[in-house]
Amino acid sequence: MKEKQSSHVPVQPDERMARLVRLAARGFNRALQLRLQTENVTFGQWIFLRILWQEDGLSQRELSDRAHLTEPTAHTALIKMEELGFIERRNVEGNKRRQHAFLTRKGLELRDVLEPLALEVNDAAMAGLSKKAQEDLRNALSVMIRNLENDEHDAAARGVRVPPTKGNTAN
Amino acid sequence: MKEKQSSHVPVQPDERMARLVRLAARGFNRALQLRLQTENVTFGQWIFLRILWQEDGLSQRELSDRAHLTEPTAHTALIKMEELGFIERRNVEGNKRRQHAFLTRKGLELRDVLEPLALEVNDAAMAGLSKKAQEDLRNALSVMIRNLENDEHDAAARGVRVPPTKGNTAN
DNA sequence: CATCTAATATTAGATGTCTATCTTTAATGC
DNA sequence: GCATTAAAGATAGACATCTAATATTAGATG
């Protein structure tokens, strides 16, 4: 059945996929934040905590790489996390440039509380999707991500400066 | 075939989908911004322009609804767009509350320049995906979006205050 | 018609993100 | 070994987004 077409508002098929993807991303973010806030952890802190649970003691640079975020973003998040007592930042073995982040007991303990929340979000999002549908979805998303990365690299190669993302996931 | 398991870094299957979706959203955003910046239009301005090309003269409230953004967000974007001469804001027919936005010639003309850019992004992203794969992808995303919306509503019904999204699409 | 309530817009303040630039420390090359 | 280059981090400034609070106007009600 064709989509009903309202009088003077033609569909924009070319933007539909981007819009759906952005809405889905926003849904995930909000659902997770909703849960994190009950533990007074922000989304940004969650990102870095999750990485540190896997590999403690990474440098700021390594953390920003793994998070796919810039260093200033990592910097401010890590400063805040140190203030909150989730991590300790310090140099190691004579290198005074690298600032490594180490989980405190508090930061470590958050893992048991927070990880189940991410699971919950995932389960909520996946309701009604078969294993196969999920697998197909992951594959299709991976293809798009790779395509868009190539697009960005191509643009960079043409000398275009890539602007900030400003996380607008709306629309 | 099982996924190979690296020494001490277990996979987190529960977060993989969210991460993929966020990365895809970021890819779309960056690819579009890359193109918009050559015309000195920001992502936020694009969002409202696109809506106004469909329905000129909407109020700020109507615009924020359609964009899935809050009123303050729409407000600042629209103020800026008026400064840039893309739109004119004014009241209509005796209602002094509603601020309606009307495209100027300049705002209208941007359409022909900008819309093809969105098409380009879409084409780049869809490379290698069959029509059917795209359709399946849209369906699966729609299911997830609905699931996550329900999750949010459920939480709201339980009295939880929903935090801002802060567009982090990374990770 | 005067007042209360609802709708709409605005302002203020927080956060997360980015780019660009500056500072400090390490590594490299004569 | 000193000077240059590279790496890592820190800082400044811009922007999009949110919530919360405030102001203004419209509509409803006694």
Side-chain angles (χ1 to χ4, degrees):
Chain A
M1 214 181 283
K2 287 243 177 70
E3 222 166 342
K4 200 166 53 184
Q5 190 176 2
S6 81
S7 51
H8 62 306
V9 184
V11 186
Q12 297 179 285
D14 11 281
E15 259 286 305
R16 270 198 301 176
M17 188 67 82
R19 200 150 50 209
L20 286 173
V21 169
R22 289 187 196 114
L23 279 172
R26 200 174 59 154
F28 272 112
N29 288 348
R30 291 183 80 93
L32 184 57
Q33 283 177 277
L34 203 57
R35 288 164 173 79
L36 291 178
Q37 83 178 340
T38 66
E39 306 299 327
N40 286 307
V41 173
T42 69
F43 188 85
Q45 289 158 18
W46 155 262
I47 287 180
F48 291 105
L49 281 174
R50 197 168 39 112
I51 296 169
L52 288 169
W53 291 329
Q54 303 295 324
E55 289 184 83
D56 198 10
L58 292 174
S59 71
Q60 175 177 301
R61 160 65 62 122
E62 291 167 326
L63 282 164
S64 62
D65 282 352
R66 280 170 179 67
H68 298 284
L69 295 171
T70 62
E71 282 197 80
T73 301
H75 183 69
T76 50
L78 293 171
I79 292 284
K80 186 71 189 188
M81 288 166 75
E82 184 167 45
E83 271 173 39
L84 292 171
F86 296 168
I87 62 167
E88 203 188 345
R89 295 165 69 246
R90 59 170 199 267
N91 311 111
V92 291
E93 55 187 42
N95 191 321
K96 287 176 195 156
R97 275 188 306 192
R98 289 202 185 84
Q99 279 289 351
H100 295 261
F102 295 91
L103 288 164
T104 59
R105 166 176 292 276
K106 193 170 170 187
L108 263 171
E109 286 174 350
L110 277 172
R111 182 173 191 169
D112 296 330
V113 186
L114 300 185
E115 281 193 339
L117 302 182
L119 252 167
E120 241 181 74
V121 171
N122 191 73
D123 289 349
M126 292 308 138
L129 290 176
S130 69
K131 279 272 171 260
K132 171 154 190 332
Q134 294 180 34
E135 197 51 41
D136 290 348
L137 178 52
R138 268 194 283 272
N139 289 336
L141 287 170
S142 300
V143 169
M144 289 201 312
I145 290 166
R146 212 174 324 115
N147 286 341
L148 292 166
E149 267 169 12
N150 290 339
D151 178 84
E152 189 169 330
H153 292 153
D154 292 352
R158 291 195 309 273
V160 181
R161 183 152 306 115
V162 180
T165 301
K166 307 290 171 46
N168 187 338
T169 45
N171 224 48
Chain B
M1 223 189 288
K2 287 242 179 69
E3 223 166 342
K4 199 165 54 183
Q5 188 176 4
S6 82
S7 52
H8 62 305
V9 184
V11 186
Q12 294 178 286
D14 10 280
E15 258 287 304
R16 269 197 300 176
M17 187 66 83
R19 199 150 51 209
L20 287 174
V21 169
R22 289 186 195 114
L23 280 172
R26 198 173 61 154
F28 272 112
N29 288 348
R30 291 184 78 94
L32 184 57
Q33 282 177 277
L34 203 58
R35 288 164 173 79
L36 290 179
Q37 82 176 342
T38 66
E39 307 299 327
N40 287 307
V41 173
T42 69
F43 188 84
Q45 289 158 20
W46 155 263
I47 287 180
F48 291 104
L49 281 174
R50 197 170 37 111
I51 296 168
L52 288 169
W53 291 330
Q54 303 295 324
E55 290 183 83
D56 198 10
L58 291 174
S59 71
Q60 175 176 302
R61 159 65 62 122
E62 290 167 327
L63 282 164
S64 62
D65 282 351
R66 279 169 178 68
H68 298 283
L69 295 171
T70 61
E71 283 196 81
T73 301
H75 183 69
T76 50
L78 294 171
I79 292 284
K80 186 72 189 186
M81 288 166 75
E82 184 166 44
E83 271 174 40
L84 292 170
F86 297 166
I87 61 167
E88 203 190 343
R89 294 164 70 246
R90 60 170 198 269
N91 312 110
V92 289
E93 54 187 46
N95 190 322
K96 288 176 192 153
R97 274 187 308 191
R98 289 203 185 85
Q99 278 291 348
H100 296 259
F102 295 90
L103 288 165
T104 59
R105 166 175 292 276
K106 194 171 171 188
L108 262 170
E109 285 174 350
L110 277 171
R111 182 173 191 169
D112 295 331
V113 185
L114 300 185
E115 280 192 342
L117 302 181
L119 251 167
E120 239 182 74
V121 171
N122 189 73
D123 289 349
M126 292 308 141
L129 290 177
S130 69
K131 279 273 169 262
K132 170 154 189 333
Q134 293 180 34
E135 197 50 42
D136 290 349
L137 178 51
R138 267 193 283 273
N139 288 337
L141 286 170
S142 300
V143 169
M144 288 200 313
I145 290 166
R146 212 173 324 116
N147 286 340
L148 291 166
E149 266 169 12
N150 289 339
D151 178 85
E152 190 170 328
H153 291 155
D154 292 351
R158 290 196 310 273
V160 180
R161 182 153 305 114
V162 179
T165 301
K166 304 299 168 39
N168 187 337
T169 45
N171 223 49

